[in-house]
Amino acid sequence: MTAVVIVLLTLVTYLLVRSGELRTWHVVLVGVLGIYLDHIHWADPIIYVVTWLAQGLTHST
């Protein structure tokens, strides 16, 4: 599942850079921010919150 999400996000990012909506330096800056957040162990709480929100918004009873 993780590989599918990575491929999807990579494809979307590539298409946005190619269309001119995103500049390459924007993508690099966000990537460096992600690496930094992972290095200081802030990525785990962020992933938890995003997962919780996604499950809450997509949960159907």
Side-chain angles (χ1 to χ4, degrees), residues 6-22:
I6 291 171
V7 169
L8 179 66
L9 290 176
T10 303
L11 179 64
V12 169
T13 303
Y14 171 75
L15 291 174
L16 285 172
V17 168
R18 187 166 180 219
S19 72
E21 295 294 323
L22 283 177

Side-chain angles (χ1 to χ4, degrees), residues 39-61:
H39 181 69
I40 62 171
H41 304 290
W42 277 29
D44 294 334
I46 293 170
I47 291 170
Y48 175 75
V49 168
V50 170
T51 303
W52 179 75
L53 284 172
Q55 288 177 348
L57 294 174
T58 59
H59 180 65
S60 59
T61 55

Side-chain angles (χ1 to χ4, degrees), residues 21-39:
E21 295 294 323
L22 283 177
R23 302 287 182 242
T24 303
W25 69 270
H26 293 146
V27 175
V28 171
L29 187 63
V30 170
V32 170
L33 175 64
I35 292 169
Y36 176 73
L37 289 175
D38 187 45
H39 181 69

